[in-house]
Amino acid sequence: MTQLIDRIKKMSLVALLVSMLATSADAVDMFLSSTGNNTIYRIKDDGSYSPLSTSINSPTGITFGNGLFFVNSGGTKIVSLTWDGIVTDFITSGISNPSGLAYGRDGFLYIADSGSNTILKADSNGALTTFATGLSNPRGLTFDLQGNLYVTNGISLGSISKITPGGVRTTLTSGLNSPYGISFGSDNNLYVTTQADDSVFSVTLGGVATRKALGIASPTAVYLASNGELRAASSTVGTIYTVFSVAQITPFSQGFNSPSFIAVPEPSTYILGFTAVALLGFCRNRKLQKSK
């Protein structure tokens, strides 16, 4: 038994190393929806990019969960997208101008439905229920590690709402100037873009907002990269910038057509998959050896 456990440990380590190498070789840092040319891009951590799909009409919100991407299409439906670029209708009715998307750890897809000023959630079959009401032009969505959902409210409120897993809604912070994109960083802070003043803010989970960048024209997507760099996209310039200070921003990747939202699959998405394959292979090999 001890020898078997040792061999499983070794195989797990090998699988982990192989998966890390595979992830490094691909080096995909993020996926971006480009509304102006109907494209979803995969962007590597050196700024180079290639299309994953070019057949989704005016894509905006994008998120990753359960092995699939989910993308808003044309403001009328939500589609699923595989790693191979296969597009399938997921929700075709019951939504009104959806914006940001987020996939919860509970297995539901959460939708900022700006047309109805609500947050909807969809099960694995696309069946919709209402999760939260009383919002104002909700746009971006993101979860923290405790499962709380954060929503940017647009022009009239200029705030970020916090919604607990039980559906209790409070205002985390207000006074923002047309907030749009939002993401949760590995440093336990939220990052939000404000389109009307071309800025990026960090917001603590206690609600304290600090300006991080100024001068990104009509910023949309924002995220904290795996190397700790803060990046935000300009919808009008078509560029993703790296933010070094409030006054210092540098182009990271350029040439997009109205970039909108991002999705950043966790590295564990790759690692667990490769580890599982390796362990299954080991178990099958043991079974064959015993049958001989």
Side-chain angles (χ1 to χ4, degrees):
M1 178 61 72
T2 302
Q3 291 180 343
L4 177 60
I5 292 173
D6 287 341
R7 290 191 67 180
I8 291 175
K9 286 180 179 179
K10 290 178 181 178
M11 289 297 296
S12 298
L13 179 59
V14 170
L16 178 61
L17 291 173
V18 169
S19 62
M20 290 175 69
L21 286 172
T23 303
S24 175
D26 195 28
V28 174
D29 197 38
M30 59 175 278
F31 293 80
L32 176 76
S33 61
S34 186
T35 306
N37 61 347
N38 303 326
T39 301
I40 304 297
Y41 290 101
R42 60 173 92 221
I43 304 176
K44 295 186 177 182
D45 57 12
D46 61 0
S48 61
Y49 56 86
S50 60
L52 174 63
S53 171
T54 59
S55 61
I56 299 175
N57 180 39
S58 299
T60 52
I62 178 173
T63 190
F64 182 83
N66 197 29
L68 294 169
F69 294 93
F70 295 93
V71 188
N72 289 332
S73 176
T76 60
K77 65 180 180 179
I78 294 173
V79 300
S80 65
L81 173 66
T82 69
W83 292 97
D84 297 327
I86 299 173
V87 178
T88 305
D89 285 350
F90 181 61
I91 299 172
T92 57
S93 62
I95 53 178
S96 178
N97 196 25
S99 186
L101 303 175
Y103 197 86
R105 295 187 177 186
D106 57 2
F108 285 89
L109 174 67
Y110 288 78
I111 305 160
D113 197 56
S114 60
S116 63
N117 294 318
T118 62
I119 303 300
L120 304 174
K121 67 177 185 179
D123 65 15
S124 59
N125 296 314
L128 293 168
T129 55
T130 299
F131 178 64
T133 60
L135 298 155
S136 176
N137 190 21
R139 294 171 167 180
L141 296 178
T142 193
F143 282 99
D144 67 14
L145 297 177
Q146 285 69 48
N148 298 302
L149 181 65
Y150 298 88
V151 186
T152 55
N153 292 284
I155 296 172
S156 59
L157 284 183
S159 64
I160 297 174
S161 295
K162 174 184 176 180
I163 308 174
T164 68
V168 178
R169 178 171 56 86
T170 56
T171 298
L172 178 70
T173 191
S174 58
L176 300 172
N177 206 339
S178 192
Y180 190 90
I182 188 170
S183 64
F184 180 72
S186 57
D187 59 356
N188 216 37
N189 287 318
L190 299 168
Y191 290 89
V192 59
T193 55
T194 53
Q195 291 194 306
D197 58 6
D198 301 334
S199 297
V200 178
F201 288 84
S202 67
V203 181
T204 69
L205 297 186
V208 179
T210 303
R211 192 189 304 272
K212 290 293 185 179
L214 179 64
I216 299 176
S218 192
T220 50
V222 61
Y223 74 113
L224 198 64
S226 57
N227 63 1
E229 292 181 350
L230 178 61
R231 298 190 184 129
S234 164
S235 62
T236 55
V237 179
T239 297
I240 300 172
Y241 293 94
T242 299
V243 175
F244 293 102
S245 68
V246 173
Q248 185 182 4
I249 58 173
T250 302
F252 167 71
S253 191
Q254 304 178 73
F256 303 104
N257 193 330
S258 298
S260 188
F261 284 95
I262 63 162
V264 184
E266 296 179 1
S268 59
T269 300
Y270 311 98
I271 293 173
L272 290 177
F274 276 92
T275 302
V277 169
L279 287 175
L280 282 172
F282 171 73
C283 292
R284 287 169 182 163
N285 185 53
R286 289 284 298 177
K287 188 175 180 180
L288 287 172
Q289 287 180 353
K290 287 183 178 180
S291 64
K292 291 181 179 179

